[in-house]
Amino acid sequence: MAKRIDVSGLSAYYGSHKAIDDISMTVEPRSVTAFIGPSGCGKSTFLRTLNRMHEVTPGGRVEGKVLLDDENLYGAGVDPVAVRRTVGMVFQRPNPFPTMSIFDNVAAGLRLNGSYRKSALNDIVEKSLRGANLWNEVKDRLNKPGSGLSGGQQQRLCIARAIAVEPDVLLMDEPCSALDPISTLAIEDLVGELKERFTIVIVTHNMQQAARVSDRTAFFNLAAVGKPGKLIEIDETERIFSNPSVQATEDYISGRFG
Amino acid sequence: MASTTQQIQTPPGRRFRPRSTGRAGDRIFLGLSRGSGILLLVIMASIAVFLSYRAAIAISKDEGNFLTTFDWNPAGDPPVFGIAVLLFGTVVSSVIAMVIAVPVAVGIALFISHYAPRKLAGAIAYVIDLLAAVPSIVYGIWGALVLVPYLEGLNLWLDQFFGWTYVFEKTEIGVARSLFTVGILLAVMILPIVTSVSREVFLQVPRMNEEAALALGATRWEVIRLSVLPFGRSGVISASMLGLGRALGETMAVATVLSPNFLISLHVLNPGGGTFAQNIAAKFGEADAFGRDALIASGLVLFVLTLLVNGAARLIIARRKEYSGANA
Ligand SMILES: Nc1ncnc2c1ncn2[C@@H]1O[C@H](COP(=O)(O)OP(=O)(O)OP(=O)(O)O)[C@@H](O)[C@H]1O
Ligand SMILES: [Mg+2]
């Protein structure tokens, strides 16, 4: 199910402002790719072009190609809604549906995709919650609202919601930045497990996190404020953190700027 | 006074802490605000006492049952009057108004907040807000001159195809000066307020709530169903209550359109019926002192009805608090 992402010549705009410029990269299936780079360099923007979420922002516009196993997400006649059903996303701040129960939160995506028998739905919800390492904490209160959980639990609920529909790719935009170290570790472990089944892209500001969870790391940078962000390099995480081929990457990782 | 207070110096090294007592300006303001608060309460309490007293006098002399009598004749001998017809007419016309107005208003509000292009949305919102400023007598005249004749065709149609529902059976001939027409007129009148409050609420749905649905592959309508409507639910209830409050108490427009009588009939297309406010407006001018007391008594019932409706709305909102977007 996990699919390869092949980006070529991708630029994204907010109105007339070009936020990222001419990005090309390949993301291997069943791997974790981390995006790092200084604030404002377009990591979130780029991530959101991978499931066509960028264009829901007013003025949002994309040029270039994103191939998901040979199918161009931006091809003519491709329905962005269908794209988002196969490329899941987890946001920086946990955003469970506040009025829904835990169960309904996880089932929400499934119900959008079609109708399921009650027993099938129960099974998938349990499997997804187990997959997100949340089952034991919530199994006795599946009918309580999702907004009643702690921040870390809410984030894992959002992950459960995203993986319940068995996406091909899972995009995560700083999924731990609002969480304490223990919840962060829980989610990092989870990412390690999920990569067996999904292609995962994770944006993070935490170098140790990138080093811990990812197989490959992409470094983004921007020449100056107001200039579009660019992909500087993408390589095996070990190489990026020990011996990057670009000086700017080393400077950023060692904390000399950004 | 300003000069004396300004002479207070901050001791070196310590932050100056403002104190609410001891300074003349504060004391005067405190006195003023406390005084006007108390004055307001006293005025309201005395109005309530006065009205209840007059109403109690009237009801004690009522030879009929105040709650169940189908008549309004306080000047008769013996005086007989009751609110049954008024209560019925008020509730029925307001229910009709709500059934029509709330879905339409929610639809318009959603269109403005989530479908229409920005410019068009602004224009529609502006027109809707303008409609809220039209005086009710203007609506009344429009109702009498335009709506009543226009609705006769609709009434015939409803009678023909939905007469079997009993409610839409028209058993009396006559122009459409009925509770149904009043309900439609009230619906038009409360539409702007319900729409604009709902629109405000829908616009406040946090971006991340909507993106949660979008990222799952929700269509526009599914985003509304998953994120916007649940978030806006309590706001829509509040908006509807504002509208209902106006519908229950609407006076001039109803008095202009309805041809009142003192019969209760669920055939809402038949001319006749009455509402509290309409009855007061129609009778107050010619009533003697006792007749006015009787009308005041009916007005108090309307007040209690409004209170009950508001209380019920609060209960509905509070019961779902746990699920509200507030603690997300
Ligand atoms: N909704 C928006 N409208 C206009 N410009 C935007 C919008 N969102 C982001 N931008 C601009 O696009 C550029 C890239 O922003 P983006 O959010 O992708 O950066 P980022 O790398 O994710 O930063 P951070 O690490 O702080 O999250 C920035 O210059 C930003 O100002
Ligand atoms: Mg970001």
Side-chain angles (χ1 to χ4, degrees):
Chain A
M1 286 271 292
K3 287 189 177 167
R4 174 197 315 275
I5 311 172
D6 221 322
V7 184
S8 53
L10 190 117
S11 304
Y13 299 80
Y14 292 99
S16 59
H17 171 64
K18 192 179 206 176
I20 49 173
D21 181 40
D22 193 23
I23 292 182
S24 303
M25 71 163 69
T26 303
V27 175
E28 296 297 329
R30 289 191 197 78
S31 72
V32 179
T33 302
F35 289 178
I36 59 172
S39 194
C41 68
K43 304 178 296 294
S44 302
T45 306
F46 180 55
L47 195 73
R48 290 162 63 92
T49 62
L50 301 181
N51 67 342
R52 298 197 62 170
M53 279 292 282
H54 176 65
E55 63 208 56
V56 306
T57 338
R61 193 158 52 82
V62 177
E63 287 166 3
K65 269 204 294 199
V66 178
L67 300 184
L68 200 64
D69 272 9
D70 301 329
E71 196 203 355
N72 185 4
L73 301 187
Y74 288 93
V78 173
D79 181 4
V81 168
V83 170
R84 293 180 205 129
R85 288 184 187 191
T86 58
V87 183
M89 186 162 210
V90 175
F91 295 82
Q92 182 167 358
R93 285 181 57 202
N95 58 354
F97 297 116
T99 55
M100 282 188 198
S101 69
I102 291 169
F103 185 95
D104 290 341
N105 259 287
V106 182
L110 297 162
R111 287 179 174 143
L112 290 181
N113 283 307
S115 51
Y116 287 77
R117 284 213 320 280
K118 186 87 179 101
S119 61
L121 208 55
N122 285 340
D123 290 347
I124 300 176
V125 168
E126 174 172 347
K127 181 168 156 242
S128 310
L129 284 169
R130 282 189 193 281
N133 285 333
L134 188 60
W135 174 253
N136 288 328
E137 289 154 74
V138 300
K139 61 172 186 266
D140 302 322
R141 45 171 171 157
L142 290 174
N143 294 318
K144 289 270 155 31
S147 48
L149 298 173
S150 77
Q153 291 171 327
Q154 286 189 23
Q155 193 62 303
R156 277 178 282 151
L157 178 61
C158 292
I159 294 174
R161 179 177 68 186
I163 62 177
V165 293
E166 290 284 329
D168 299 326
V169 177
L170 191 58
L171 309 175
M172 306 174 109
D173 193 352
E174 301 184 41
C176 305
S177 66
L179 306 182
D180 71 301
I182 292 178
S183 310
T184 300
L185 276 182
I187 289 186
E188 286 180 10
D189 289 346
L190 181 56
V191 169
E193 291 167 23
L194 292 176
K195 80 169 180 184
E196 314 279 318
R197 292 195 284 145
F198 306 101
T199 307
I200 295 179
V201 181
I202 181 168
V203 175
T204 176
H205 275 291
N206 180 330
M207 296 303 134
Q208 286 83 6
Q209 180 168 70
R212 278 193 301 260
V213 302
S214 71
D215 303 302
R216 283 161 66 81
T217 298
F219 172 62
F220 294 78
N221 204 353
L222 72 179
V225 177
K227 290 268 166 51
K230 284 180 185 288
L231 173 65
I232 304 299
E233 64 175 315
I234 174 167
D235 211 331
E236 301 297 322
T237 297
E238 249 166 67
R239 270 224 49 208
I240 290 277
F241 280 92
S242 59
N243 185 20
S245 40
V246 181
Q247 183 62 34
T249 313
E250 195 173 341
D251 289 348
Y252 180 73
I253 288 167
S254 57
R256 271 191 283 264
F257 83 85
Chain B
M1 149 193 110
S3 62
T4 57
T5 53
Q6 269 164 11
Q7 278 161 13
I8 299 173
Q9 290 293 319
T10 311
R14 280 178 57 198
R15 251 185 82 240
F16 174 67
R17 305 247 317 278
R19 293 173 54 207
S20 59
T21 53
R23 296 173 65 183
D26 279 344
R27 266 209 309 263
I28 291 173
F29 185 73
L30 181 69
L32 265 179
S33 55
R34 187 179 286 170
S36 42
I38 291 173
L39 186 67
L40 186 72
L41 283 180
V42 169
I43 292 176
M44 289 197 14
S46 49
I47 291 177
V49 167
F50 171 76
L51 292 182
S52 313
Y53 173 70
R54 302 277 297 262
I57 292 179
I59 294 173
S60 67
K61 292 189 185 147
D62 187 358
E63 291 293 317
N65 183 320
F66 182 66
L67 293 178
T68 57
T69 305
F70 286 24
D71 198 1
W72 195 269
N73 194 8
D77 187 22
V80 172
F81 55 93
I83 56 159
V85 173
L86 305 178
L87 181 62
F88 176 81
T90 304
V91 170
V92 166
S93 59
S94 295
V95 166
I96 294 172
M98 298 296 283
V99 166
I100 299 171
V102 171
V104 175
V106 169
I108 298 176
L110 282 175
F111 179 73
I112 295 174
S113 63
H114 283 81
Y115 284 90
R118 204 168 292 182
K119 273 194 188 138
L120 179 62
I124 298 176
Y126 181 70
V127 171
I128 299 267
D129 286 347
L130 268 188
L131 282 179
V134 175
S136 58
I137 184 66
V138 175
Y139 277 110
I141 294 170
W142 174 76
L145 295 183
V146 179
L147 200 57
V148 168
Y150 177 78
L151 280 181
E152 267 165 61
L154 177 69
N155 283 359
L156 285 179
W157 184 83
L158 279 174
D159 180 33
Q160 188 176 352
F161 293 101
F162 294 95
W164 53 269
T165 57
Y166 187 86
V167 174
F168 289 126
E169 191 182 356
K170 190 162 160 57
T171 57
E172 268 176 54
I173 322 184
V175 287
R177 295 180 167 277
S178 58
L179 287 178
F180 184 66
T181 306
V182 168
I184 291 180
L185 181 63
L186 290 174
V188 174
M189 294 179 68
I190 66 177
L191 194 66
I193 181 78
V194 183
T195 304
S196 46
V197 175
S198 305
R199 181 199 67 204
E200 283 309 314
V201 179
F202 293 152
L203 283 175
Q204 277 165 17
V205 179
R207 190 79 210 135
M208 65 174 204
N209 286 21
E210 288 182 36
E211 291 198 338
L214 275 173
L216 279 181
T219 60
R220 206 172 338 200
W221 161 242
E222 286 163 343
V223 171
I224 287 173
R225 200 164 47 86
L226 286 175
S227 298
V228 179
L229 289 180
F231 180 89
R233 192 174 173 278
S234 59
V236 170
I237 294 177
S238 312
S240 309
M241 287 310 128
L242 279 176
L244 181 56
R246 181 160 185 198
L248 289 172
E250 179 48 47
T251 309
M252 284 320 297
V254 180
T256 317
V257 165
L258 197 66
S259 79
N261 66 17
F262 268 84
L263 295 174
I264 284 185
S265 164
L266 262 179
H267 297 302
V268 294
L269 299 183
N270 286 346
T275 74
F276 285 112
Q278 166 271 327
N279 187 54
I280 295 173
K283 306 247 162 84
F284 204 82
E286 281 124 54
D288 57 12
F290 179 72
R292 290 186 175 182
D293 288 353
L295 290 171
I296 286 173
S298 75
L300 274 182
V301 177
L302 174 59
F303 174 66
V304 171
L305 179 65
T306 315
L307 275 188
L308 286 179
V309 164
N310 271 317
R314 268 170 209 283
L315 271 185
I316 296 173
I317 294 171
R319 229 191 41 221
R320 299 272 303 192
K321 243 288 139 56
E322 192 182 18
Y323 281 83
S324 86
N327 56 355

